[in-house]
Amino acid sequence: MAVDYRLEGQAAVITGSTSGIGQAMAGALAEQGVNVVLNGFGDAAQIEADRAALAARTGVKVLYYGADMTKPDEIADLIGFAHRELGRLDILVCNAGVQHVAAVDEFPDAKWDQIIAINLTSVFHGAKHALPIMKAQGRGRIVNIASAHGLVASPFKSAYVAAKHGVVGFTKSCALEVARAGITVNAICPGYVKTPLVEMQIGDQARTRGISPERVVEDVILAVQPNKSFVSYDQLAALMLYLVSDQGGSTTGAALTIDGGWTAA
Ligand code: NAD
C-alpha cells in the first residue's frame, strides 16, 4: 500500500542538501510533490546538474541557495528566499553538519567553533526565521537531523557530541513553545549512514589495517551498531516523511532513534 503523505504543493528548505542525507531528504520531499530549496557547498556545475535533474525527475520547483550555515545573516536570507520564491514555507529540515575527531586537549579552537556554529547554532537561526512564517500559516514542521551522538557519546568527538546533544535540547524547548501553533519540532537521531564520506572511510581503513572492507564495516565502523547494518536513505526518508505529514502531528519534541539498537545498549 502506497502511503499518501498529502504534501503536494508544500514548500521546504533542506540545509546541507548537496550531498548525503540532506540530498536524499530533498529528493524524498520532491518525489512527494514538495517544492524544495537546496542548500550546501560543492562544485557549482555539479550542484546545478543535480538541481536540474531533480526538477526534471519530479516536476516540482527545485531551487538552490548557497547560504553558509556559519553566518546568521545568510541563514535569514535562505529562509527569506524560500518564502519569497515559493510563496510559503511548510517544512524546514536542518541537516547541515560537519565532524572533526581529536582529543579535547588537542582540539583546535577554530574547529570547535565551526562545529558548534554549523551543527547547533544554525538550527536555532533556521527555526528563528522559519517560525514566524509557520505561525502565520498556522502549520509547520521542523525536523532537525541530530545523531545517535545527540543521546550518547564517543571519545574524540567532543564538539560533535556537544552540538548534537544541544540540538536535542533545543528541539524539545522549541517544540514546547509552538505546541499550540500547529507546528511540530523533532530531532532524528541516526546511527551510521553509508554516505559518500563513510564509503571512503571503509576503503581507507581496509587499506590501513590490511583487513577486508566487510571486516572494517562490522568491527570498526559498525562496532557500536548492534544490527551491523547501515541506516539507509529510504529508512531515514520514511521517518522524515512521517514527521512532516499530518499523520505525524502528535509527535513533537521527540528525539527519534534510527540506529540499529546503538542507543539501547
Ligand atoms: P555530508 O558531508 O554528505 O553532507 C553535509 C552537507 O552539509 C553537505 O551538503 C555540505 O555541503 C553541507 N555543509 C557543510 N558545511 C556547511 C555550511 N557551513 N553551510 C552550508 N552547508 C554546509 O554529510 P552527511 O553524512 O549526509 O550528514 C548530514 C547530517 O547528518 C549531519 O548533520 C550529520 O551530523 C548527520 N548524521 C550523519 C550520520 C552518518 O553516518 N553519515 C549519522 C548521524 C547523523
Side-chain angles (χ1 to χ4, degrees):
M1 182 190 81
V3 182
D4 182 2
Y5 296 102
R6 299 191 296 272
L7 301 174
E8 214 170 319
Q10 293 196 17
V13 170
I14 308 95
T15 71
S17 44
T18 52
S19 167
I21 294 171
Q23 193 169 45
M25 298 297 100
L29 286 165
E31 278 162 16
Q32 295 295 323
V34 177
N35 299 309
V36 296
V37 175
L38 307 176
N39 159 262
F41 296 152
D43 174 66
Q46 186 62 53
I47 290 172
E48 172 51 24
D50 290 345
R51 186 206 63 75
L54 184 60
R57 179 160 65 83
T58 58
V60 300
K61 279 191 195 163
V62 181
L63 308 174
Y64 168 76
Y65 196 89
D68 181 342
M69 290 298 116
T70 64
K71 302 201 168 115
D73 290 354
E74 294 189 19
I75 300 170
D77 291 346
L78 167 68
I79 301 296
F81 171 82
H83 191 213
R84 205 166 52 247
E85 295 297 321
L86 300 178
R88 50 188 301 113
L89 180 62
D90 306 281
I91 299 162
L92 171 63
V93 180
C94 293
N95 164 81
V98 291
Q99 174 66 285
H100 185 78
V101 179
V104 171
D105 49 348
E106 289 166 4
F107 214 93
D109 293 355
K111 277 286 169 201
W112 173 277
D113 289 344
Q114 185 203 28
I115 290 175
I116 299 299
I118 299 172
N119 294 18
L120 173 59
T121 310
S122 79
V123 175
F124 155 70
H125 289 292
K128 178 174 180 169
H129 296 289
L131 283 175
I133 302 167
M134 291 175 174
K135 283 178 183 172
Q137 288 174 183
R139 188 189 182 281
R141 296 284 187 264
I142 297 179
V143 178
N144 299 320
I145 307 299
S147 167
H149 280 126
L151 301 168
V152 294
S154 297
F156 309 112
K157 296 183 176 175
S158 56
Y160 187 87
V161 169
K164 294 298 188 181
H165 274 67
V167 169
V168 169
F170 175 77
T171 298
K172 292 180 188 176
S173 186
C174 191
L176 295 178
E177 284 185 27
V178 297
R180 295 290 298 272
I183 302 167
T184 67
V185 188
N186 290 288
I188 293 181
C189 299
Y192 283 100
V193 186
K194 209 179 198 177
T195 58
L197 203 79
V198 174
E199 300 248 27
M200 239 168 53
Q201 279 175 29
I202 296 171
D204 289 349
Q205 295 260 6
R207 270 187 300 278
T208 322
R209 293 168 185 255
I211 57 176
S212 69
E214 292 75 24
R215 270 203 60 202
V216 170
V217 167
E218 236 185 89
D219 298 348
V220 183
I221 305 217
L222 296 183
V224 289
Q225 211 147 296
N227 72 346
K228 302 294 177 194
S229 298
F230 286 105
V231 181
S232 73
Y233 290 140
D234 278 358
Q235 290 166 349
L236 280 168
L239 181 54
M240 182 272 300
L241 289 172
Y242 159 73
L243 290 174
V244 302
S245 70
D246 284 344
Q247 292 94 320
S250 291
T251 303
T252 194
L256 296 143
T257 57
I258 175 160
D259 65 4
W262 177 349
T263 52

